[in-house]
Amino acid sequence: MSEILDVRNLQVDFITEEKVITAAQNVSFKLEQGQTLGIVGESGSGKSVTSLALMGLVPSPGIISKGEIWFGDKQSPKVDLLKLSQKQMLQYRGGKIAMVFQEPMSALNPVYTCGFQLVEAILRHQKVSSKEAQRIALGLLQEVKLLPTDEDLESQIISTKAALGQDKRKLAQEVAEQKRAMLDRYPHQLSGGQLQRVTIAMAISCNPAILIADEPTTALDVTVQATILDLLRELSLSRQMAMIFITHDLGLVAEIADSIAVMYQGQIVESGLVESVFTHPQHPYTKGLLACRPDLEVRSQYLLTVADFMGMTRAANGNVEIEQKSPPSPPEVTKEALQQRLAHLMKQKPLLDVSNLQVGFPQAGAFGQTKRYFMAVKGVSFQVYPGETLGLVGESGCGKTTLGRTLVRLITPISGSVMFDGQDVATIGGHTLQKLRQEMQIIFQNPFSSLDPRLKVGDAIIEPLVIHGRGSSDRNRRKIAGELLERVGLDPTLINRYPHEFSGGQRQRICIARALALRPKFIICDESVSSLDVSVQAQVLNLLKELQQEFNLTYIFISHDLNVVKFMSDRILVMNQGQIVEQSDAESIYRSPQQEYTRRLIAAIPTGKKMRKSD
């Protein structure tokens, strides 16, 4: 293999009025044709800034203050990209080095069709006609498996319209129409996985030598995530395309990468072949990242975090030094202990009893009248016991979030009952419902949109106390807010700061504090850790377990991540297409799933066992 990228001592600084912030420092690595390099680290580690520097896209006030980026493939002589003008860089950006961004919905313009945007990318870098660009675009959509092949489309059409099988001309017209229909769809008409396939098609449209994939699967279900990883792996092999795969999840890197670079505070602290780094990690930060994810094979009482493996001390010269730690392994929860706990829980009267719940959304027919309902939850029944954590898993669109919101009456069901502590949440209203909601709270998925940016965090925590008339005075409420912040691991003196002054993990802790303000019995955690780094995720999961014991809380834990659900849950419900297809204790669901859908979810979990070297 030939070397196509050589990054030497790269440094990226952000110059503000107060100080200079170094986001990447002394970053050096090489990339060969057909190789996949995984760059791993938490938010703020410098991995995305490094990738933007390769593309010449570092946002203002950032500058590349030092280093060299040497690029050269079979068609191009070696050149330092940092010495090129903006006009010269246009030949390389998109044409030679392409990028797939983290959030496909924001990567595409919502006012233009997917086809228009894909064709535009082709016309920008290739000297072809609009008709030829459309033909290339359709071929790319088939390559990324968003569109079936022509042969498969013909088979599908003949299966529904048998007569067309006798008329080749009409059959060809029908195939062409169905292919064009995909080009005419807007971003909002596609799912997250489909949108990511469109952005991948755009990225490979000019046959780049290097593809940078920046957290391309973060917002996707495990099954969709698995298909995207398989697609990227296939494209890299078939096109002999080098790839830089950026993520905070070491498990994902093991699925796709040949080599790995671990970044911490803007520097590469460890690098090498994936197998070597996984089996013999040297840096404490790498050890911490590997230990943060819940182990599917062993049930631990708590999760280790990065802080358990390393401490930070400041030397006399002002430099920060890393102190390595060797934490003991967390105690294992035995199968017998799990069975005893579950038996004890189920001897109690259920706190929540859901029976034949039906939730639908009206779809407009002719003249604006309701034609029919799209049923998101179909005849769901289950029970939750005091002190239990009930896991709820399934792919996006299976109805799990709709079910969670219906349980606290944010959505009104069509039929069925939701008995909570002796009252039917589905039928009560007014003051009775408001009073009952003090006992039921929800922690939403996105901590960045869960808090009002105009409210100080202290006021956000106090707000439910004011609404429900809790606390004898404003001073007393602020005291409660400070105590709650301290309980979730935040400094109570930060009570007067705004949400934008906190990280994602800190914001989620604030959301947890707000949910606890009314001392509820029952909390729904709706994908409450899915947007967090693995190390922060471990901290929040440990916190939720501690709070459950301290306040005798009952949880429904909603997630598409079976690793996390198994660690947190006593029992698990598996949802598919609005129905519960399987339910049992957490160990049984993982060890001996009964349904093919459940087996498919488990098979899609990144485990680090599908390394490219074994392909």
Side-chain angles (χ1 to χ4, degrees), residues 16-166:
T16 67
E17 293 181 359
E18 295 82 15
K19 60 180 178 179
V20 176
I21 300 171
T22 300
Q25 184 176 15
N26 297 325
V27 174
S28 300
F29 59 86
K30 296 181 180 182
L31 192 64
E32 295 182 344
Q33 181 183 352
Q35 178 191 1
T36 297
L37 170 68
I39 300 181
V40 184
E42 299 171 280
S43 296
S45 64
K47 56 189 189 297
S48 291
V49 167
T50 299
S51 68
L52 292 172
L54 301 181
M55 298 284 290
L57 293 174
V58 175
S60 179
I63 62 166
I64 299 173
S65 53
K66 291 181 185 177
E68 303 169 29
I69 302 175
W70 290 92
F71 172 85
D73 60 2
K74 292 178 180 179
Q75 291 78 35
S76 311
K78 280 204 170 185
V79 60
D80 184 357
L81 299 180
L82 298 183
K83 292 182 178 178
L84 299 180
S85 66
Q86 282 295 322
K87 187 175 181 180
Q88 290 172 319
M89 190 62 192
L90 290 176
Q91 301 172 22
Y92 291 85
R93 186 190 303 129
K96 299 289 185 181
I97 306 175
M99 193 165 185
V100 179
F101 294 95
Q102 177 174 353
E103 180 46 65
M105 185 57 79
S106 59
L108 296 170
N109 192 323
V111 302
Y112 293 110
T113 64
C114 295
F116 175 86
Q117 295 178 72
L118 182 51
V119 168
E120 182 184 42
I122 296 168
L123 291 174
R124 178 67 185 81
H125 292 280
Q126 298 187 44
K127 294 180 180 180
V128 296
S129 65
S130 295
K131 187 175 181 180
E132 178 65 9
Q134 279 202 3
R135 187 191 68 77
I136 294 171
L138 289 169
L140 287 167
L141 292 181
Q142 288 180 326
E143 187 175 0
V144 300
K145 301 178 183 178
L146 184 57
L147 267 176
T149 63
D150 287 1
E151 293 77 12
D152 289 341
L153 275 172
E154 287 178 0
S155 299
Q156 291 174 15
I157 292 167
I158 291 172
S159 67
T160 55
K161 301 178 181 178
L164 287 179
Q166 310 302 318

Side-chain angles (χ1 to χ4, degrees), residues 135-346:
R135 187 191 68 77
I136 294 171
L138 289 169
L140 287 167
L141 292 181
Q142 288 180 326
E143 187 175 0
V144 300
K145 301 178 183 178
L146 184 57
L147 267 176
T149 63
D150 287 1
E151 293 77 12
D152 289 341
L153 275 172
E154 287 178 0
S155 299
Q156 291 174 15
I157 292 167
I158 291 172
S159 67
T160 55
K161 301 178 181 178
L164 287 179
Q166 310 302 318
D167 192 329
K168 297 296 183 184
R169 185 178 62 84
K170 287 187 177 180
L171 180 60
Q173 287 178 345
E174 185 75 18
V175 168
E177 286 177 12
Q178 290 202 17
K179 289 164 68 175
R180 281 197 299 271
M182 180 58 72
L183 291 179
D184 291 337
R185 296 176 78 173
Y186 286 87
H188 73 271
Q189 295 175 300
L190 300 178
S191 68
Q194 290 174 321
L195 285 174
Q196 199 61 289
R197 289 174 186 269
V198 173
T199 62
I200 292 170
M202 291 176 68
I204 65 171
S205 62
C206 302
N207 199 26
I210 300 173
L211 178 67
I212 302 172
D214 186 6
E215 300 270 14
T217 62
T218 297
L220 305 179
D221 295 328
V222 284
T223 49
V224 180
Q225 174 180 271
T227 60
I228 295 297
L229 288 177
D230 288 340
L231 172 63
L232 290 171
R233 190 162 43 229
E234 289 172 16
L235 290 172
S236 176
L237 291 170
S238 63
R239 290 170 170 254
Q240 275 300 289
M241 177 177 64
M243 183 161 61
I244 297 175
F245 189 90
I246 297 170
T247 182
H248 63 260
D249 192 337
L250 279 165
L252 286 181
V253 168
E255 299 281 313
I256 196 170
D258 302 303
S259 56
I260 184 173
V262 181
M263 291 195 72
Y264 177 67
Q265 293 192 346
Q267 299 184 56
I268 294 177
V269 296
E270 185 166 0
S271 61
L273 295 176
V274 168
E275 298 94 326
S276 175
V277 173
F278 263 70
T279 54
H280 302 289
Q282 300 300 309
H283 198 276
Y285 181 68
T286 311
K287 294 176 182 178
L289 286 181
L290 284 168
C292 284
R293 287 287 284 167
D295 191 330
L296 279 169
E297 300 301 326
V298 178
R299 182 77 168 257
S300 302
Q301 288 187 7
Y302 60 88
L303 297 174
L304 293 173
T305 67
V306 170
D308 292 316
F309 288 87
M310 56 186 284
M312 308 292 288
T313 58
R314 191 171 294 277
N317 60 5
N319 293 334
V320 175
E321 296 180 352
I322 294 174
E323 177 190 357
Q324 185 165 338
K325 301 178 183 178
S326 299
S329 298
E332 182 181 343
V333 182
T334 64
K335 185 178 180 180
E336 293 73 21
L338 290 171
Q339 290 174 343
Q340 288 175 9
R341 171 176 161 79
L342 191 58
H344 170 72
L345 290 170
M346 297 185 72

